[in-house]
Structures are given as C-alpha cells and as structure tokens.
C-alpha cells in the first residue's frame, strides 16, 4: 500500500522567512515517483516537481528546493525567502511505477503574511 | 489554449438530481482521470481511463459513472445526488507510457448539493 504523510496541516510565516514542508511516504515498491503540486487560493492544481525513486539528487528552482532522501522516505520542499504569493496548499503525491493514480498527502496549508 | 477544461465550473443542485460534469483535454493524452477533493482538501482518485478503457475504479458508489466517448473526453455522470457528494471534482490527463509523466489538471468543478 502507498501512503503519503504531510504532518504539518498549517504553517504560518512572515514574508522573507524560509519554510520547509515535510513529506514522508510509505511504499514497498522499489520504483516509484514523487510529485509536489501547489493549489493557490484560486483552486487550480499546479505541478511543481517530480522525482523518480532512483534519482536522489536535490533540486533547486529559484526560491524552491527539494530534498529527496530514500533512507528516511522523505521528499521535503523548502521555500527560501517566502513571499505572499507562496500562500497556498501544497500537496505531496506518490505513484507506483505501474500505477495510474496519484496518492496524495493531505496537504499543508502555507500562509505567508507581509 | 486551455489544456484540460471542465464544464461547468460551479454546479449547485438539489439532492436526488442527476448531473454531469464534462472534461476535455487538447494535449493528445490517452489517459484521463477523475479526482475528488473533499471539504478538508483531501484529493483522492475516483477513476482512471486509458484509451477509453476503465483502468481504475476506486471505491466509488455506482451512482457515479464515467464515460469516455473518445480519448480527449472523460465525462462524469452522477445519479441521485447526495449531500456528501458536495466536493470539488478535478479532471486530469497524462501521456501513457510512464507513471512519471505529469498529470495535468483541469480547473475543477465545485459541486454543491443542497
């Protein structure tokens, strides 16, 4: 069975603070894929990043960075120098190699205040 | 151009009614999905279609019936609507071949059952 846990339900930070959103997953598969999606207040789901289970390289994209550690089954997401526009619900998701469905975590609601 | 579109965006109806939500994608993908997001923002797969064939049918009441007339469309028909069906329904599509392929989501349809 696949499971994704985002233990932080809500996080509130002040603009320019760094914030890390945690994602821990469970799977018995050796090949699987991890995703992060953003859902801003407007409601759409925006793809941020994907990672396959064999690629543990960290990734940086502007103010966003992702840390994938198979040893701890975690795929954490850090926003550096947060901005108000980062306020959204962030979802971590897992899909098995032969799968057709994303298994989502319950999401972390991030509020960035000025 | 909109990649994945859904109509209507909002749907308000009475208990017991039958309603449909339409989804179209112009990405040339051959796999389409329906996800349900409940009031707590939890996203869960309902159905997955590949080349017009049903691949996944999660534990969804049989009042929900997906229909795929062609690879670009996946409609969702709901019979005898209940209060608990109130949610946001997201359609998505991806290219078959790898579960690593990004799933592109539509804007969502907010269904309210009174």
């Amino acid at each position: 069975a696949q499971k994704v846990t985002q233990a932080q339900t809500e996080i509130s930070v002040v603009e320019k603070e760094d914030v890390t959103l945690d994602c821990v997953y469970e799977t018995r598969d050796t090949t699987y894929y991890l995703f992060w999606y953003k859902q801003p207040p407007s409601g759409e789901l925006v793809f941020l990043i994907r990672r396959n289970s064999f690629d543990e390289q960290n990734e940086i994209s502007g103010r966003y960075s992702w840390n994938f550690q198979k040893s701890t089954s975690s795929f954490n997401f850090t926003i550096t120098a947060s901005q108000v526009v980062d306020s959204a619900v962030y979802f971590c998701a897992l899909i098995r190699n032969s799968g057709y469905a994303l298994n989502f975590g319950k999401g972390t609601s991030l509020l960035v205040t000025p | 151009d909109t990649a994945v579109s859904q109509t209507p965006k909002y749907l308000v109806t009475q208990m017991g009614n039958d309603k449909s939500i339409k989804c179209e994608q112009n990405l040339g993908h051959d796999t389409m999905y329906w996800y349900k997001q409940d009031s707590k923002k939890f996203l869960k797969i309902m159905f997955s279609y590949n080349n017009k064939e049903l691949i996944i049918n999660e534990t969804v009441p049989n009042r929900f019936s997906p229909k795929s007339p062609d690879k670009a469309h996946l409609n969702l028909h709901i019979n005898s609507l209940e209060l608990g069906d109130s949610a946001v329904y997201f359609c998505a599509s991806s290219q078959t071949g790898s579960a690593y392929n990004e799933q592109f989501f539509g804007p969502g349809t907010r269904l309210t059952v009174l």
Side-chain angles (χ1 to χ4, degrees):
Chain A
Q2 327 282 311
K3 187 178 178 184
V4 177
T5 302
Q6 295 180 257
Q8 304 149 309
T9 307
E10 293 181 353
I11 300 175
S12 184
V13 299
V14 177
E15 214 172 12
K16 296 183 185 171
E17 282 184 23
D18 298 348
V19 58
T20 296
L21 309 183
D22 297 332
C23 172
V24 174
Y25 61 90
E26 294 174 32
T27 180
R28 291 182 181 178
D29 295 339
T30 53
T31 303
Y32 52 88
Y33 309 105
L34 296 162
F35 294 76
W36 276 93
Y37 280 84
K38 173 183 179 180
Q39 187 174 41
S42 49
E44 71 273 23
L45 284 160
V46 179
F47 166 79
L48 294 178
I49 192 173
R50 60 184 172 180
R51 180 63 81 228
N52 77 55
S53 54
F54 297 107
D55 181 4
E56 284 195 75
Q57 267 196 324
N58 291 334
E59 174 135 351
I60 298 175
S61 176
R63 296 183 297 107
Y64 294 172
S65 62
W66 290 268
N67 180 256
F68 175 32
Q69 290 195 338
K70 282 180 78 170
S71 60
T72 55
S73 297
S74 64
F75 186 39
N76 296 337
F77 172 31
T78 297
I79 302 174
T80 304
S82 59
Q83 299 177 0
V84 172
V85 293
D86 296 326
S87 296
V89 180
Y90 292 86
F91 292 96
C92 181
L94 177 144
I95 188 169
R96 58 194 320 184
N97 187 35
S98 56
Y100 281 89
L102 286 165
N103 291 285
F104 284 91
K106 293 191 174 180
T108 296
S109 178
L110 174 65
L111 177 64
V112 182
T113 53
Chain B
D1 281 345
T2 304
V4 182
S5 59
Q6 294 178 228
T7 52
K9 188 163 174 62
Y10 300 96
L11 187 51
V12 181
T13 188
Q14 299 287 330
M15 258 195 331
N17 284 348
D18 302 340
K19 289 294 178 187
S20 291
I21 305 172
K22 295 187 177 181
C23 176
E24 177 181 2
Q25 53 94 5
N26 62 6
L27 297 166
H29 292 162
D30 44 16
T31 303
M32 296 185 73
Y33 315 80
W34 278 108
Y35 288 86
K36 177 181 179 180
Q37 186 173 42
D38 64 21
S39 58
K40 295 184 178 177
K41 299 277 191 181
F42 184 49
L43 275 157
K44 189 172 164 60
I45 186 72
M46 299 175 69
F47 302 104
S48 172
Y49 266 74
N50 177 247
N51 277 318
K52 304 196 300 173
E53 252 189 68
L54 182 64
I55 302 295
I56 291 177
N57 181 351
E58 285 295 304
T59 317
V60 177
N62 56 17
R63 298 182 295 103
F64 290 78
S65 53
K67 292 226 174 10
S68 182
D70 56 58
K71 288 197 300 185
H73 296 85
L74 181 61
N75 304 323
L76 184 65
H77 188 76
I78 316 169
N79 289 329
S80 305
L81 278 154
E82 299 178 358
L83 293 177
D85 297 332
S86 295
V88 180
Y89 293 85
F90 285 96
C91 177
S93 74
S94 69
Q95 189 59 49
T96 306
S98 172
Y100 192 53
N101 292 331
E102 178 191 342
Q103 292 189 18
F104 291 79
F105 284 82
T109 295
R110 182 175 293 276
L111 171 65
T112 303
V113 182
L114 303 173

